[in-house]
Amino acid sequence: MQEQSADLYLALAEALAEPPPWLEQPGQRWPLYACTEKLAGVSTAAAHAAAAFAQVRSESMQERRARHRALFQSNGRPRFWLHESLYRSGRLLGPEMLEVEQLYRAAGLELSGKELPDHASVELAFLAHLARRGVENPKRAGQWRQMEKLFLKKHAGHWLPTMGRAIAASGDAVYAPIGTLLADWLEELLQPAARKRVLQRVPSVDQPACTLCGFCSQVCPVRALLIDENDSETILLLSPTRCYGCGKCVRACETSAMTMSPSHEEQATMGPDEWQILRSSPRANCPACGEPTVSRAELEYVSRQLGHPRWLEYCWRCRAN
């Protein structure tokens, strides 16, 4: 968990600094998306962020930089201050900056680069450092964790969630979801009870109606649904703790086989890497070469639509012959 937290801190730090090269890509290619996807099963904040990032389209770096300038770098007074001392007391080089600099030195760090110690990206990078040290040195993990908690309580957690909410309210297509994640994630860390997933509705399947077409798994923004196929069987799997109930799978289901149903107690206790079988079907075999083709569930559905033409049972190679 601490390793994933370190990765998320660092990705947030990069996102709030000068736009990194990865930011011009669509949201699903961001390191931020990869981090939130890994944490989606144990964090509501991460699950919601993964879904939001999946909707972000690519832009040129010039356009991404223009967004950053409009929010954080405007001449005179930008919409959002990215320095703690400016955000909290209205003046640069305030006491907050001196305090965080002392904490960095206490952790054995010396600052380099153009950013001041209390810049949002530097504070987040410091949190990433503390989380990483706890992973690298298990014997002193408690000490590093205590320092992380102290820094969250006295500094990063004292102003970054508020700023994140303000950025989220800007409505910017790129930075608004980043702001939401910043606020939600830090608030979860400050209030561990908020991290517990409250699962209300998850996908369920009317098995006879499900064709195992896989469309539901393709549209799932947090990959809570998965089609697993081997030589003999096709299976639709659900990770209940990854799901946060957006319902996109239901809207994508052409046969109305999928619905959202109240979750069960056993689903709520499953881990993010535990999967439940929603539907399974043996695969059909080509009558000419014996190679497995599609699932029988899908074959039967297509046959009903087309009147069961004989060629449908063959693999694509044998059809050509």
Side-chain angles (χ1 to χ4, degrees):
M1 180 67 183
Q2 281 296 95
E3 185 172 357
Q4 287 84 1
S5 294
D7 291 341
L8 184 52
Y9 280 139
L10 193 57
L12 280 168
E14 291 179 355
L16 290 176
E18 286 288 331
W22 55 259
L23 197 67
E24 67 179 330
Q25 300 180 49
Q28 282 186 304
R29 294 188 180 182
W30 292 357
L32 262 179
Y33 178 82
C35 294
T36 54
E37 187 185 35
K38 288 178 182 178
L39 288 163
V42 294
S43 165
T44 306
H48 288 177
F53 293 151
Q55 307 304 313
V56 178
R57 298 180 179 180
S58 62
E59 278 184 334
S60 68
M61 182 53 68
Q62 183 179 1
E63 291 171 305
R64 294 294 206 234
R65 286 175 178 155
R67 290 181 184 275
H68 191 274
R69 283 195 301 271
L71 295 173
F72 310 118
Q73 297 178 324
S74 299
N75 292 331
R77 187 176 181 86
R79 292 182 65 182
F80 307 103
W81 297 115
L82 287 179
H83 295 88
E84 182 180 354
S85 56
L86 272 168
Y87 199 90
R88 293 178 61 181
S89 61
R91 62 191 181 94
L92 200 61
L93 307 179
E96 297 87 358
M97 189 210 76
L98 298 175
E99 288 174 12
V100 299
E101 189 173 24
Q102 289 174 356
L103 286 171
Y104 297 162
R105 289 192 174 129
L109 299 176
E110 290 292 335
L111 282 178
S112 62
K114 64 178 183 178
E115 294 295 0
L116 293 172
D118 63 337
H119 191 276
S121 63
V122 180
E123 292 196 4
L124 288 163
F126 180 58
L127 286 167
H129 170 75
L130 296 177
R132 185 74 66 194
R133 290 302 300 271
V135 174
E136 295 171 350
N137 191 345
K139 291 183 179 179
R140 297 183 61 192
Q143 177 182 340
W144 292 112
R145 180 60 182 148
Q146 283 300 115
M147 190 175 291
E148 180 186 349
K149 288 180 178 180
L150 175 65
F151 193 76
L152 280 168
K153 183 178 179 180
K154 297 290 186 180
H155 292 283
H158 199 65
W159 72 287
L160 286 178
T162 305
M163 187 188 72
R165 293 275 175 241
I167 296 171
S170 73
D172 185 87
V174 174
Y175 286 99
I178 293 174
T180 300
L181 172 62
L182 178 65
D184 289 349
W185 172 250
L186 293 183
E187 286 173 357
E188 279 191 353
L189 292 174
L190 290 164
Q191 302 175 28
R195 182 175 297 278
K196 294 180 181 179
R197 303 278 283 139
V198 180
L199 295 173
Q200 296 180 353
R201 300 175 71 81
V202 294
S204 61
V205 165
D206 176 9
Q207 295 204 12
C210 175
T211 67
L212 286 171
C213 65
F215 289 160
C216 55
S217 65
Q218 294 175 34
V219 301
C220 180
V222 292
R223 300 186 183 176
L225 291 164
L226 173 69
I227 289 287
D228 184 35
E229 195 165 55
N230 53 44
D231 287 346
S232 61
E233 191 176 27
T234 302
I235 306 171
L236 173 62
L237 299 168
L238 167 69
S239 173
T241 52
R242 294 189 184 196
C243 175
Y244 69 95
C246 69
K248 287 187 177 182
C249 53
V250 174
R251 295 190 289 275
C253 184
E254 294 185 349
T255 63
S256 300
M258 184 162 284
T259 56
M260 301 300 292
S261 303
S263 59
H264 303 295
E265 184 177 349
E266 61 269 20
Q267 291 176 314
T269 59
M270 294 175 69
D273 295 321
E274 292 183 89
W275 298 86
Q276 172 189 350
I277 296 177
L278 292 183
R279 172 78 160 110
S280 65
S281 173
R283 293 183 67 179
N285 295 92
C286 173
C289 67
E291 286 295 311
T293 56
V294 298
S295 71
R296 290 202 172 277
E298 187 173 0
L299 179 63
E300 290 168 3
Y301 172 73
V302 176
S303 295
R304 289 196 297 271
Q305 307 305 309
L306 300 180
H308 197 79
R310 179 66 177 167
W311 55 265
L312 193 61
E313 298 180 9
Y314 291 81
C315 68
W316 65 271
R317 292 188 184 87
C318 294
R319 289 178 195 174
N321 296 328

